[in-house]
Amino acid sequence: MSAPTLTYEILSEAVKGAAAAIRSRTRLQPVGGPGDKVFPPTFGETIDIELSNGTHRTRYAMERRRIDGKDILCVLLDSVASQANRMEEALQRAWDEGRIQFPIVRVNFTGQTDEDPRLDLSTLGGDGYLTSLETPHRLADALLRDSMLDGLRFRASEPGLAFTEASIHHATPVYSLSPNALVFGMWDSTGPKGGQGAKFQRALVSEVVGVGAVPGVKTASRIDPAGIEINAGPVFEAADAAEEWTVHEDEAATEKGKSIPFSRRGGEKAGKPSSINHGNVTPTIDSEAGGVTLDHAEQVTVLSLPVLRRLRFPKNVAGDPHPAEGAAEAETGARTALAALAVAAVSFQREEGFDFRSRCAFIAEGPLEFEVLTRDGASEGPYTLDSAGAITLVRKAAEAADELGMGWPSDPVELVPAPKLVELIRRSRKVAAVADVEDGED
Amino acid sequence: MFALEIRFLTGRYAAGRADAPGEAEWPPHPARVFSALTAALYEQVNPSPEDRNALDWLAQAGAPEVLAPNAAQRHLEEVYVPVNDVNALTDIDRHLDRLSTAMAESEGLEEEAAAKASREVKKLREKVRERSVATATADGTGTPENAVKILERRPRHPRRFPVMVPEHDVVHLRWPNQSPRPAVRVALDRLCARVARLGHSSSLVSMRLVEGEVEVVGRRLWRPDPDGHGFLRVPLPDQLRLLDEAFDQHQQVEPRILQADSARYLEARPDGTPVARAHSGFSNRPGEWIIYEVAGPPGGGRRTLLDLTLAQQVARALRGTLLASLDPNAPATLTGHGKDGRPTSRPHLAFVPLGDVGYPYASGSILGVAMIPARDLSVQDRDILLEGIFHAEQAAAADLGMRSETGSGRRLRLTLGRHGVVHLRRLAEPADRKTLTASRWCRPARRWISATAVALGRNPGNLRSRDPEVVGKATEAAEATVGDACTYSGLPAPQVVWIHRRSLASGAAAANRFMPFPDQGDGPRRVCVHTEIVFDVPVIGPVLLGAGRFFGLGLHLPADPPFSVGGS
């Protein structure tokens, strides 16, 4: 018999009561099957890690954990920040597809067309919209500050002014504009109030770690199918900008009477075939970032309930105080809606898969299951949640909140980019295009 | 008896040590836990007096015992945070601020005042609208680069923070001799329920108050003790008031290290008896070490940085310089020779080059030399030593043509034959550079790794034979010899010894590069190996082992995971 579904009632009880957190732990295996090599994210520095056969240099974030009394080498596969980005992207897609509804603020670039494709901004963000789920600082992002609502700068508009006054003691403005900021955290430190601006701690923390890592080596080489030798060439910049490069010196661009060797990035390889991606590459063996094999990977995702409980909503979404007896219920309703959004994000991200980067993709070993953790270390559940269940959960939570005065507006708040912002971007692209022709650089 | 129970829900703890922000803090310091409870207090718009009283009570309850598992440091945790302080448009915050203030002030006024305030608000709204349009208009001014930063290439700043991964998820702070009265207990638990994180926002926790017995169970126990070697930050009795005052200052915006007390802690067994710590035969007291740093020549110029593989040469040169300034009848504790001229077996003064090893970009160079006496050096012998040093430095000053008003000038000059000349300058106060501090080499640890190779007192056999059986036997023999070297030095017998060809300390050279040892004289040449040694009790350094221990060989680095209770 499979686990019961995580319902609105269970979620609401958890939020209202004394539970500490809602957590999911999922075992993963590489898509290529158990034992297949994967390539974790690398970091700038190398560190030395002790293995049974000596010291190993690595650029991966490795650590030792104690599991069942043994020291096991583990490696970070996807960080907290990266997981948060993926979950917000998954929420965005679900929203775009109309599967769930929640407030969003977005900047509409679709009107910023231009005949010149370089100056056409109408497809920014893929569909011409950049939303408060996609901007790095969410609702507090610089892009929104430099965009307009009804002719006013965003932070000067009614919603913007209300947002500036928000805090954990008065979270309604953020709740009704862009609730993802209350789930994933936000600090409006560069807004009108500077460092004293609204600060909301993240409620959802997720991380993926590989367990039982054994480092490997990676070889890289290239045999040129056209058999171009290293000394073939030289390759010159073409005088005709549309051509880019040429091997005929009489068609080359010149500087001070000499033909200019071609290079995309400048430096030593100018003029060699490798600058135009031809030629052989001597094999290298990389053991610092040569991939790892794992026993398994694990995603641990935790939703902190105290973080949600500390959010106060003294006013409803219309801006009025709640009726005296209904205040606590209204606040619980709002917090439950946020919790629903959070677990939905986890569910949608799961649905999209665990494809972290090239040669680092995983599949889950079982369905998504949540436990409700109590402060004494016990847990209730597990409760399962698939994307259909997540959609239902968010809808029910939003409806319940609505009855208590904490409903979510159905339309996004739509900004347009400030004309000056558009003009500046276009100016920079024009300059870059000219520079390309002059310097031969992309 | 009561305790605060902390569960790490994400299996990690991310917090930097207050005294060394780049290093990980473990276990969580009681002062930090107190700060988290205080933050929970102020989550309420009007914190209740009962909650405040409860925190005051807790601060006055004194330093708790800490029950925590071992933790390993995650090696890299770096986040690239996109910036948000770029603007393509001129900001209008000033006007927004005025408008907000006027709107707030206009609430709840009556009649005439209300009308006036309302007009003011209207005027300011107009101004804001006018400014909005003006700043947003495409008028040919402005910096395209800023727009690019916002829309296309947002700059990112790296933020690094240390992360510890504990073996178990639960830490307790325990007060064995106190019990809060019911009102305080309820209030404290209520505050605990609100604590969501400890340290960085990604280390989510749940906390509660527990009464009665708390078992140690697979964790280590630290108790406040004036004889302790480690320090934890704990709340002062009026910590709540201090935090309140500090908040007025920082408003949770400024980076800050909050005031706290520092209490000494000692590791104990579950039954409360102190965990025995073993000492090596050498002094671990910083005041008793005489440390020289490698310096440039007196007139200016670059330092000669030699590799640690030249440890024995540098040690011998320093020893020679000192002995030349000592009376021929100097005691064996300093010379290593008895009255009959034969080497003494008792611990005596060691000359130990200190190398840049064990750090990520360590060079393996000799940064200084320490004279490390035996633990029980008498006052008279110490006086003789200091006099000898003084004379040696005077002689060096004369040779170098230095005129010094401050006595001997604290310099020495070592000649090392074909390896050149090394200038040394004695440190008058503790070095900033950790390599040149006693605490780096003496920090109590169960696990030690060799920085310079150990010269084995007995030939183990052929460690490099092609025959695996021969190698196996030789390895066992080498391990046994190292074990004996420990007990010979006054250390406990190790739990386990591993022999390595290369050092586990980054930057340190392989064992064969320390050979031949000794590089002069008629004595037998020793086989040199690197080692990794684990004792079953914490050992206080310095750990110097093997036939070359008085000449800088066999120097070990403590290699337990960083535990901030272990001292710096």
Short mmCIF file of all heavy atoms in Angstrom, two decimals, chain A residues 62-66 137 140-142 145-146 153 158 169 190 195 202 207 310 375-376 419-420 423 427-429, chain B residues 7 12 43 72 74-75 82 84 87-88 90 125 132 135-136 139-141 148 152 154 167 189 201 207 253:
data_model
loop_
_atom_site.label_atom_id
_atom_site.label_comp_id
_atom_site.label_asym_id
_atom_site.label_seq_id
_atom_site.Cartn_x
_atom_site.Cartn_y
_atom_site.Cartn_z
N MET A 62 34.33 18.09 -1.68
CA MET A 62 34.23 16.77 -1.06
C MET A 62 34.28 16.88 0.45
O MET A 62 34.81 17.85 1.00
CB MET A 62 35.37 15.88 -1.57
CG MET A 62 35.29 15.69 -3.08
SD MET A 62 36.34 14.37 -3.67
CE MET A 62 35.09 13.22 -4.19
N GLU A 63 33.74 15.88 1.10
CA GLU A 63 33.72 15.87 2.55
C GLU A 63 33.60 14.43 3.00
O GLU A 63 33.18 13.56 2.25
CB GLU A 63 32.53 16.67 3.08
CG GLU A 63 31.21 15.96 2.81
CD GLU A 63 30.04 16.90 2.71
OE1 GLU A 63 30.24 18.09 2.44
OE2 GLU A 63 28.92 16.42 2.90
N ARG A 64 33.94 14.22 4.26
CA ARG A 64 33.76 12.89 4.83
C ARG A 64 32.53 12.92 5.73
O ARG A 64 32.35 13.85 6.51
CB ARG A 64 34.96 12.50 5.68
CG ARG A 64 36.27 12.60 4.95
CD ARG A 64 37.33 11.76 5.62
NE ARG A 64 37.38 10.46 5.02
CZ ARG A 64 38.14 10.17 3.97
NH1 ARG A 64 38.89 11.08 3.42
NH2 ARG A 64 38.15 8.95 3.46
N ARG A 65 31.72 11.90 5.62
CA ARG A 65 30.59 11.77 6.54
C ARG A 65 30.69 10.42 7.22
O ARG A 65 31.24 9.47 6.67
CB ARG A 65 29.28 11.82 5.77
CG ARG A 65 29.04 13.17 5.16
CD ARG A 65 27.66 13.26 4.63
NE ARG A 65 27.46 14.60 4.11
CZ ARG A 65 26.27 15.15 3.92
NH1 ARG A 65 25.20 14.47 4.21
NH2 ARG A 65 26.18 16.36 3.44
N ARG A 66 30.10 10.37 8.39
CA ARG A 66 30.10 9.11 9.11
C ARG A 66 28.73 8.46 8.89
O ARG A 66 27.71 9.00 9.29
CB ARG A 66 30.31 9.37 10.59
CG ARG A 66 30.84 8.17 11.26
CD ARG A 66 31.83 8.52 12.34
NE ARG A 66 32.33 7.30 12.91
CZ ARG A 66 33.41 6.66 12.47
NH1 ARG A 66 34.09 7.16 11.47
NH2 ARG A 66 33.80 5.55 13.02
N HIS A 137 17.46 38.72 -7.43
CA HIS A 137 17.06 39.16 -6.09
C HIS A 137 15.56 39.23 -5.94
O HIS A 137 15.05 39.96 -5.09
CB HIS A 137 17.73 40.50 -5.75
CG HIS A 137 19.18 40.36 -5.45
ND1 HIS A 137 19.68 40.40 -4.18
CD2 HIS A 137 20.23 40.14 -6.26
CE1 HIS A 137 21.00 40.21 -4.22
NE2 HIS A 137 21.35 40.05 -5.48
N ALA A 140 13.08 42.22 -4.98
CA ALA A 140 13.93 43.36 -4.66
C ALA A 140 14.95 43.65 -5.75
O ALA A 140 15.83 44.47 -5.56
CB ALA A 140 14.66 43.10 -3.33
N ASP A 141 14.81 43.01 -6.88
CA ASP A 141 15.87 43.07 -7.88
C ASP A 141 16.00 44.45 -8.54
O ASP A 141 15.01 45.17 -8.71
CB ASP A 141 15.64 42.02 -8.97
CG ASP A 141 16.91 41.75 -9.75
OD1 ASP A 141 17.77 41.05 -9.22
OD2 ASP A 141 17.03 42.28 -10.87
N ALA A 142 17.22 44.75 -8.95
CA ALA A 142 17.50 46.03 -9.61
C ALA A 142 16.68 46.20 -10.88
O ALA A 142 16.30 47.32 -11.24
CB ALA A 142 18.99 46.10 -9.94
N ARG A 145 13.43 47.65 -10.03
CA ARG A 145 13.58 49.05 -9.62
C ARG A 145 13.64 49.97 -10.82
O ARG A 145 13.18 51.10 -10.79
CB ARG A 145 14.88 49.23 -8.83
CG ARG A 145 14.82 48.86 -7.38
CD ARG A 145 15.85 49.62 -6.57
NE ARG A 145 17.18 49.60 -7.14
CZ ARG A 145 18.12 48.70 -6.87
NH1 ARG A 145 17.85 47.72 -6.03
NH2 ARG A 145 19.31 48.78 -7.43
N ASP A 146 14.23 49.48 -11.91
CA ASP A 146 14.39 50.31 -13.10
C ASP A 146 13.29 50.05 -14.12
O ASP A 146 13.50 50.25 -15.32
CB ASP A 146 15.78 50.07 -13.71
CG ASP A 146 16.89 50.74 -12.90
OD1 ASP A 146 16.54 51.52 -11.98
OD2 ASP A 146 18.07 50.49 -13.18
N ARG A 153 7.94 54.83 -11.52
CA ARG A 153 8.96 53.85 -11.18
C ARG A 153 8.32 52.82 -10.25
O ARG A 153 7.52 53.19 -9.38
CB ARG A 153 10.14 54.52 -10.48
CG ARG A 153 10.90 55.52 -11.34
CD ARG A 153 11.92 54.85 -12.22
NE ARG A 153 13.00 54.23 -11.45
CZ ARG A 153 14.11 54.84 -11.06
NH1 ARG A 153 14.30 56.12 -11.32
NH2 ARG A 153 15.04 54.19 -10.40
N GLU A 158 1.94 52.23 -6.01
CA GLU A 158 1.30 51.78 -4.76
C GLU A 158 1.86 50.43 -4.30
O GLU A 158 2.26 50.30 -3.15
CB GLU A 158 -0.21 51.70 -4.93
CG GLU A 158 -0.92 53.04 -4.97
CD GLU A 158 -0.52 53.95 -3.81
OE1 GLU A 158 -0.53 53.49 -2.65
OE2 GLU A 158 -0.18 55.12 -4.07
N HIS A 169 7.12 41.47 10.38
CA HIS A 169 5.93 41.77 11.20
C HIS A 169 4.76 42.19 10.34
O HIS A 169 3.64 42.34 10.84
CB HIS A 169 6.26 42.90 12.19
CG HIS A 169 7.34 42.52 13.15
ND1 HIS A 169 7.27 41.39 13.93
CD2 HIS A 169 8.51 43.11 13.47
CE1 HIS A 169 8.36 41.30 14.68
NE2 HIS A 169 9.13 42.34 14.41
N THR A 190 19.08 47.11 -1.17
CA THR A 190 19.48 48.23 -2.03
C THR A 190 18.28 49.06 -2.45
O THR A 190 18.33 49.84 -3.38
CB THR A 190 20.19 47.70 -3.30
OG1 THR A 190 19.37 46.69 -3.89
CG2 THR A 190 21.54 47.10 -2.96
N GLY A 195 20.03 49.15 3.99
CA GLY A 195 20.23 47.94 4.77
C GLY A 195 19.08 47.58 5.68
O GLY A 195 18.94 46.44 6.11
N ARG A 202 15.19 32.52 4.24
CA ARG A 202 14.63 31.44 3.43
C ARG A 202 13.96 30.40 4.31
O ARG A 202 14.45 30.08 5.41
CB ARG A 202 15.71 30.78 2.59
CG ARG A 202 16.69 29.97 3.39
CD ARG A 202 17.79 29.41 2.54
NE ARG A 202 18.82 30.40 2.32
CZ ARG A 202 19.69 30.38 1.34
NH1 ARG A 202 19.66 29.42 0.47
NH2 ARG A 202 20.58 31.32 1.23
N GLU A 207 19.48 20.39 -0.86
CA GLU A 207 20.86 20.12 -1.26
C GLU A 207 20.95 18.71 -1.80
O GLU A 207 20.22 17.83 -1.35
CB GLU A 207 21.74 20.26 -0.01
CG GLU A 207 23.21 20.41 -0.29
CD GLU A 207 24.01 20.58 0.98
OE1 GLU A 207 23.90 19.72 1.86
OE2 GLU A 207 24.74 21.57 1.06
N ARG A 310 6.95 32.82 11.81
CA ARG A 310 7.36 34.13 12.28
C ARG A 310 6.85 35.23 11.36
O ARG A 310 6.93 36.41 11.70
CB ARG A 310 8.87 34.20 12.45
CG ARG A 310 9.67 34.53 11.25
CD ARG A 310 11.09 34.89 11.63
NE ARG A 310 11.67 33.89 12.49
CZ ARG A 310 12.87 33.34 12.31
NH1 ARG A 310 13.59 33.68 11.27
NH2 ARG A 310 13.35 32.47 13.16
N ARG A 375 9.61 18.27 17.17
CA ARG A 375 10.83 18.75 17.82
C ARG A 375 11.56 17.68 18.60
O ARG A 375 12.74 17.83 18.89
CB ARG A 375 10.52 19.93 18.73
CG ARG A 375 10.27 21.22 17.95
CD ARG A 375 10.40 22.44 18.85
NE ARG A 375 9.34 22.52 19.82
CZ ARG A 375 9.50 23.00 21.06
NH1 ARG A 375 10.67 23.43 21.46
NH2 ARG A 375 8.47 23.05 21.88
N ASP A 376 10.89 16.61 18.94
CA ASP A 376 11.58 15.57 19.70
C ASP A 376 12.26 14.56 18.79
O ASP A 376 12.72 13.52 19.24
CB ASP A 376 10.60 14.86 20.63
CG ASP A 376 9.43 14.25 19.86
OD1 ASP A 376 9.41 14.36 18.61
OD2 ASP A 376 8.53 13.68 20.50
N PRO A 419 12.09 53.33 -20.43
CA PRO A 419 12.64 53.65 -21.76
C PRO A 419 14.16 53.86 -21.72
O PRO A 419 14.86 53.43 -22.61
CB PRO A 419 11.91 54.94 -22.16
CG PRO A 419 10.63 54.89 -21.40
CD PRO A 419 10.92 54.19 -20.11
N LYS A 420 14.61 54.47 -20.65
CA LYS A 420 16.05 54.71 -20.55
C LYS A 420 16.82 53.40 -20.47
O LYS A 420 17.89 53.26 -21.08
CB LYS A 420 16.35 55.55 -19.30
CG LYS A 420 17.78 56.06 -19.30
CD LYS A 420 18.09 56.74 -17.97
CE LYS A 420 19.27 57.65 -18.13
NZ LYS A 420 18.92 59.03 -18.37
N GLU A 423 16.96 52.01 -23.91
CA GLU A 423 17.86 52.76 -24.76
C GLU A 423 19.32 52.44 -24.43
O GLU A 423 20.16 52.29 -25.32
CB GLU A 423 17.60 54.25 -24.58
CG GLU A 423 18.40 55.10 -25.54
CD GLU A 423 19.05 56.30 -24.87
OE1 GLU A 423 19.24 56.27 -23.64
OE2 GLU A 423 19.36 57.25 -25.58
N ARG A 427 22.04 50.87 -26.86
CA ARG A 427 23.27 51.60 -27.15
C ARG A 427 24.48 50.69 -26.93
O ARG A 427 25.42 50.67 -27.73
CB ARG A 427 23.39 52.81 -26.21
CG ARG A 427 23.69 54.07 -27.01
CD ARG A 427 24.28 55.17 -26.22
NE ARG A 427 23.42 55.72 -25.21
CZ ARG A 427 23.87 56.42 -24.16
NH1 ARG A 427 25.15 56.63 -24.02
NH2 ARG A 427 23.03 56.89 -23.28
N SER A 428 24.45 49.93 -25.89
CA SER A 428 25.60 49.07 -25.61
C SER A 428 25.73 47.99 -26.67
O SER A 428 26.83 47.61 -27.05
CB SER A 428 25.51 48.46 -24.22
OG SER A 428 25.04 47.14 -24.28
N ARG A 429 24.62 47.53 -27.18
CA ARG A 429 24.70 46.49 -28.21
C ARG A 429 25.19 47.06 -29.53
O ARG A 429 25.90 46.37 -30.26
CB ARG A 429 23.33 45.84 -28.42
CG ARG A 429 22.93 44.96 -27.24
CD ARG A 429 21.67 44.21 -27.50
NE ARG A 429 21.30 43.34 -26.40
CZ ARG A 429 20.31 42.47 -26.47
NH1 ARG A 429 19.61 42.34 -27.59
NH2 ARG A 429 20.02 41.72 -25.42
N ARG B 7 18.75 20.11 17.00
CA ARG B 7 18.80 19.13 15.91
C ARG B 7 19.13 19.83 14.61
O ARG B 7 18.48 20.81 14.26
CB ARG B 7 17.41 18.51 15.72
CG ARG B 7 17.22 17.24 16.42
CD ARG B 7 15.76 16.80 16.41
NE ARG B 7 15.55 16.11 17.64
CZ ARG B 7 15.98 14.85 17.86
NH1 ARG B 7 16.53 14.16 16.87
NH2 ARG B 7 15.84 14.30 19.03
N ARG B 12 23.83 19.80 8.33
CA ARG B 12 25.01 20.63 8.20
C ARG B 12 24.94 21.81 9.15
O ARG B 12 23.86 22.20 9.58
CB ARG B 12 25.11 21.16 6.76
CG ARG B 12 23.89 21.95 6.40
CD ARG B 12 23.75 22.14 4.92
NE ARG B 12 24.00 23.53 4.58
CZ ARG B 12 24.78 23.91 3.57
NH1 ARG B 12 25.35 23.03 2.81
NH2 ARG B 12 24.97 25.17 3.33
N GLU B 43 11.29 38.33 17.68
CA GLU B 43 10.34 38.10 16.60
C GLU B 43 8.97 38.63 16.97
O GLU B 43 8.19 39.03 16.12
CB GLU B 43 10.18 36.61 16.34
CG GLU B 43 11.17 36.06 15.39
CD GLU B 43 11.04 34.57 15.35
OE1 GLU B 43 9.92 34.05 15.53
OE2 GLU B 43 12.07 33.94 15.14
N ALA B 72 33.03 16.78 10.37
CA ALA B 72 34.07 16.96 9.35
C ALA B 72 33.76 18.22 8.58
O ALA B 72 32.59 18.56 8.36
CB ALA B 72 34.08 15.76 8.41
N ARG B 74 33.31 20.41 5.37
CA ARG B 74 33.16 20.33 3.93
C ARG B 74 34.25 21.21 3.35
O ARG B 74 34.49 22.31 3.79
CB ARG B 74 31.79 20.86 3.50
CG ARG B 74 31.67 20.96 1.98
CD ARG B 74 30.26 21.22 1.58
NE ARG B 74 29.42 20.09 1.89
CZ ARG B 74 28.08 20.10 1.80
NH1 ARG B 74 27.47 21.19 1.43
NH2 ARG B 74 27.40 19.04 2.11
N HIS B 75 34.93 20.71 2.34
CA HIS B 75 36.16 21.39 1.94
C HIS B 75 35.94 22.71 1.24
O HIS B 75 36.74 23.60 1.35
CB HIS B 75 37.00 20.46 1.08
CG HIS B 75 37.63 19.40 1.93
ND1 HIS B 75 38.78 19.61 2.63
CD2 HIS B 75 37.21 18.18 2.27
CE1 HIS B 75 39.07 18.52 3.32
NE2 HIS B 75 38.14 17.64 3.12
N PRO B 82 24.88 37.17 -7.08
CA PRO B 82 24.76 38.28 -8.03
C PRO B 82 24.55 39.59 -7.28
O PRO B 82 23.88 39.61 -6.25
CB PRO B 82 23.51 37.92 -8.85
CG PRO B 82 23.14 36.54 -8.47
CD PRO B 82 23.74 36.26 -7.14
N ASN B 84 23.22 43.43 -6.54
CA ASN B 84 21.93 44.09 -6.76
C ASN B 84 22.06 45.60 -6.69
O ASN B 84 21.07 46.33 -6.75
CB ASN B 84 20.91 43.61 -5.71
CG ASN B 84 19.49 43.76 -6.19
OD1 ASN B 84 19.20 43.69 -7.38
ND2 ASN B 84 18.57 44.01 -5.27
N ASN B 87 22.47 50.35 -10.89
CA ASN B 87 21.32 51.14 -11.35
C ASN B 87 21.59 51.69 -12.72
O ASN B 87 22.67 52.24 -12.95
CB ASN B 87 21.09 52.34 -10.42
CG ASN B 87 20.69 51.91 -9.05
OD1 ASN B 87 19.68 51.25 -8.87
ND2 ASN B 87 21.49 52.27 -8.08
N ALA B 88 20.63 51.53 -13.61
CA ALA B 88 20.75 52.21 -14.90
C ALA B 88 20.12 53.59 -14.82
O ALA B 88 20.54 54.52 -15.50
CB ALA B 88 20.08 51.39 -15.99
N THR B 90 18.80 56.93 -12.44
CA THR B 90 19.08 57.64 -11.18
C THR B 90 18.03 57.26 -10.16
O THR B 90 16.84 57.17 -10.50
CB THR B 90 18.97 59.16 -11.42
OG1 THR B 90 19.67 59.49 -12.60
CG2 THR B 90 19.53 59.92 -10.23
N ARG B 125 3.44 63.31 -4.01
CA ARG B 125 3.11 62.31 -5.04
C ARG B 125 3.39 62.86 -6.43
O ARG B 125 3.91 62.16 -7.30
CB ARG B 125 1.64 61.91 -4.98
CG ARG B 125 1.30 60.88 -3.95
CD ARG B 125 -0.16 60.40 -4.13
NE ARG B 125 -0.62 59.68 -2.98
CZ ARG B 125 -0.35 58.39 -2.73
NH1 ARG B 125 0.40 57.71 -3.56
NH2 ARG B 125 -0.83 57.81 -1.65
N SER B 132 9.80 60.22 -11.52
CA SER B 132 9.75 58.91 -12.18
C SER B 132 9.91 59.07 -13.68
O SER B 132 10.71 58.39 -14.32
CB SER B 132 8.42 58.20 -11.91
OG SER B 132 8.35 57.75 -10.60
N THR B 135 13.47 60.48 -14.70
CA THR B 135 14.60 59.55 -14.61
C THR B 135 14.47 58.41 -15.60
O THR B 135 15.47 57.78 -15.96
CB THR B 135 14.75 58.95 -13.19
OG1 THR B 135 13.50 58.37 -12.81
CG2 THR B 135 15.17 59.99 -12.18
N ALA B 136 13.24 58.12 -16.03
CA ALA B 136 13.05 56.98 -16.92
C ALA B 136 13.14 57.34 -18.39
O ALA B 136 13.16 56.46 -19.25
CB ALA B 136 11.71 56.32 -16.63
N ASP B 139 17.02 59.89 -22.73
CA ASP B 139 17.46 61.21 -23.18
C ASP B 139 18.90 61.20 -23.63
O ASP B 139 19.54 62.24 -23.73
CB ASP B 139 17.25 62.24 -22.07
CG ASP B 139 17.99 61.81 -20.80
OD1 ASP B 139 18.72 60.80 -20.83
OD2 ASP B 139 17.82 62.49 -19.76
N GLY B 140 19.46 60.04 -23.84
CA GLY B 140 20.83 59.98 -24.33
C GLY B 140 21.86 59.98 -23.23
O GLY B 140 23.05 59.74 -23.48
N THR B 141 21.47 60.25 -21.97
CA THR B 141 22.45 60.20 -20.88
C THR B 141 22.44 58.81 -20.26
O THR B 141 21.61 57.97 -20.57
CB THR B 141 22.12 61.23 -19.79
OG1 THR B 141 20.85 60.88 -19.21
CG2 THR B 141 22.05 62.64 -20.36
N VAL B 148 23.71 46.91 -18.97
CA VAL B 148 24.20 45.57 -19.31
C VAL B 148 24.34 44.74 -18.04
O VAL B 148 23.98 43.58 -17.99
CB VAL B 148 25.56 45.67 -20.04
CG1 VAL B 148 26.20 44.31 -20.16
CG2 VAL B 148 25.37 46.31 -21.40
N GLU B 152 22.07 41.77 -18.66
CA GLU B 152 22.77 40.74 -19.44
C GLU B 152 23.88 40.05 -18.69
O GLU B 152 24.00 38.83 -18.74
CB GLU B 152 23.33 41.36 -20.72
CG GLU B 152 22.22 41.82 -21.66
CD GLU B 152 22.75 42.45 -22.92
OE1 GLU B 152 23.94 42.81 -22.97
OE2 GLU B 152 21.97 42.60 -23.87
N ARG B 154 25.11 40.09 -15.06
CA ARG B 154 25.10 40.55 -13.69
C ARG B 154 26.39 40.12 -13.00
O ARG B 154 26.70 38.94 -12.94
CB ARG B 154 23.90 39.93 -12.95
CG ARG B 154 23.64 40.46 -11.58
CD ARG B 154 23.00 41.83 -11.58
NE ARG B 154 21.67 41.83 -12.14
CZ ARG B 154 20.56 41.95 -11.42
NH1 ARG B 154 20.63 42.08 -10.13
NH2 ARG B 154 19.40 41.95 -12.02
N GLU B 167 28.62 14.11 12.61
CA GLU B 167 28.36 12.67 12.49
C GLU B 167 26.93 12.32 12.88
O GLU B 167 26.35 11.38 12.34
CB GLU B 167 29.33 11.89 13.37
CG GLU B 167 30.73 11.87 12.81
CD GLU B 167 31.69 11.07 13.68
OE1 GLU B 167 31.21 10.42 14.62
OE2 GLU B 167 32.89 11.12 13.40
N ASP B 189 11.28 27.06 26.47
CA ASP B 189 10.90 26.10 25.43
C ASP B 189 10.14 26.80 24.31
O ASP B 189 10.26 26.47 23.14
CB ASP B 189 10.07 24.96 26.02
CG ASP B 189 9.90 23.84 25.02
OD1 ASP B 189 10.93 23.36 24.50
OD2 ASP B 189 8.76 23.45 24.73
N SER B 201 21.79 30.86 7.11
CA SER B 201 20.37 30.51 6.97
C SER B 201 20.15 29.14 6.39
O SER B 201 19.03 28.63 6.40
CB SER B 201 19.66 31.56 6.11
OG SER B 201 20.19 31.52 4.79
N MET B 207 14.91 23.24 17.94
CA MET B 207 15.42 23.29 19.30
C MET B 207 14.32 23.03 20.29
O MET B 207 13.16 23.38 20.06
CB MET B 207 15.99 24.68 19.59
CG MET B 207 17.46 24.83 19.26
SD MET B 207 18.08 26.46 19.72
CE MET B 207 18.05 26.34 21.50
N VAL B 253 22.33 45.06 10.24
CA VAL B 253 22.83 45.37 8.91
C VAL B 253 24.35 45.23 8.87
O VAL B 253 24.91 44.60 7.99
CB VAL B 253 22.45 46.82 8.51
CG1 VAL B 253 23.09 47.21 7.21
CG2 VAL B 253 20.94 46.94 8.42
#
